[in-house]
Amino acid sequence: MRAIYCAGEQGRVVLDILRAGGDAGDVVFVDDDESRHGTDVDGVEVIGGFDALADRADDDVRSLVAFGDSQRVRLTIAERVADVGVGFFSAIHPDATISTAVSLSDGVTVNANSYLGVGVEVGDHALVDSSVNVSHDSVIGMGATLTPGCTLAGGVTVESDAYVGPGSTVVEDATVGAGAVVGAGAVVTDDVEPGRTVVGVPAEPIDR
């Protein structure tokens, strides 16, 4: 059994990715919102919350944490899930283009029409949304989020818990630090310090 953890918008996206690949026959939802328990979301049962997943830890269940709104929350949930002995699966849309020389870790989501080039490394629980272009030898850290239409040029590093906004560009060999935010449409030409938010063309830091 595979459990999509969180039955909201991102959970439905993950379900759609699995269905696009013809691989959703053993899927259920898990969600901490008790009002969802026992209901169906897009035809898939919500079996309960964290305890329902933990109770199945010995039954070869795997999970994917589909929380799109916060990288930190996604990582926190994933840590709790791992602590009870539940493993993870990834969801890769069949319309994504993945080089044979890409390293994908556990619990990764890659949506349709995205490209991951030669030598790209994707960390645990990273989210690569639709139409994302990641060029050669880039590194996407644990729990990082790349949103629709963003581009990472060659050799870029996006560290853990960072967010790269829609339509933004990060130039060659730049680093987006841990927990940093790149605003929509920004063009990052220099390293972004951990925890900073940058916006504009070229991107400049603002107070959060």
Side-chain angles (χ1 to χ4, degrees), residues 121-176:
E121 299 178 13
V122 184
D124 293 341
H125 314 297
L127 168 58
V128 179
D129 215 319
S130 54
S131 302
V132 170
N133 186 350
V134 181
S135 194
H136 64 89
D137 301 308
S138 292
V139 177
I140 304 167
M142 179 182 292
T145 297
L146 307 183
T147 60
C150 72
T151 296
L152 307 186
V156 166
T157 298
V158 178
E159 294 183 345
S160 175
D161 189 28
Y163 173 95
V164 181
S168 59
T169 299
V170 183
V171 303
E172 293 87 350
D173 301 320
T175 295
V176 178

Side-chain angles (χ1 to χ4, degrees), residues 13 49 51 56 83 99-100 110 142 160 192 201:
V13 168
D51 289 341
R56 292 165 171 80
D83 284 347
S99 166
T100 57
V110 181
M142 179 182 292
S160 175
V192 180
V201 181

Side-chain angles (χ1 to χ4, degrees), residues 30 32-33 43 53 84-85 132 149 170 184 197:
V30 170
D32 292 328
D33 181 352
L53 182 61
V84 296
V132 170
V170 183
T197 296

Side-chain angles (χ1 to χ4, degrees), residues 2-208:
R2 290 174 298 168
I4 301 172
Y5 202 123
C6 298
E9 295 171 354
Q10 186 59 31
R12 294 171 61 226
V13 168
V14 170
L15 176 61
D16 184 69
I17 291 171
L18 297 176
R19 284 176 168 166
D23 187 29
D26 64 342
V27 173
V28 297
F29 279 112
V30 170
D31 199 286
D32 292 328
D33 181 352
E34 294 184 2
S35 69
R36 296 184 186 269
H37 296 177
T39 66
D40 285 353
V41 173
D42 289 355
V44 172
E45 181 186 5
V46 182
I47 63 170
F50 175 79
D51 289 341
L53 182 61
D55 288 345
R56 292 165 171 80
D58 296 329
D59 297 335
D60 196 30
V61 64
R62 294 175 294 149
S63 182
L64 190 155
V65 182
F67 194 88
D69 291 340
S70 168
Q71 300 80 245
R72 193 158 301 171
V73 170
R74 189 187 319 139
L75 289 172
T76 298
I77 294 172
E79 183 175 5
R80 291 182 68 208
V81 170
D83 284 347
V84 296
V86 173
F88 298 96
F89 70 95
S90 294
I92 312 299
H93 198 286
D95 289 338
T97 301
I98 312 293
S99 166
T100 57
V102 167
S103 173
L104 293 175
S105 296
D106 294 329
V108 170
T109 301
V110 181
N111 210 341
N113 300 316
S114 287
Y115 169 75
L116 303 181
V118 173
V120 169
E121 299 178 13
V122 184
D124 293 341
H125 314 297
L127 168 58
V128 179
D129 215 319
S130 54
S131 302
V132 170
N133 186 350
V134 181
S135 194
H136 64 89
D137 301 308
S138 292
V139 177
I140 304 167
M142 179 182 292
T145 297
L146 307 183
T147 60
C150 72
T151 296
L152 307 186
V156 166
T157 298
V158 178
E159 294 183 345
S160 175
D161 189 28
Y163 173 95
V164 181
S168 59
T169 299
V170 183
V171 303
E172 293 87 350
D173 301 320
T175 295
V176 178
V181 174
V182 175
V187 176
V188 175
T189 58
D190 295 302
D191 292 349
V192 180
E193 295 180 1
R196 297 303 299 268
T197 296
V198 296
V199 298
V201 181
E204 298 288 346
I206 61 171
D207 293 332
R208 291 180 68 177

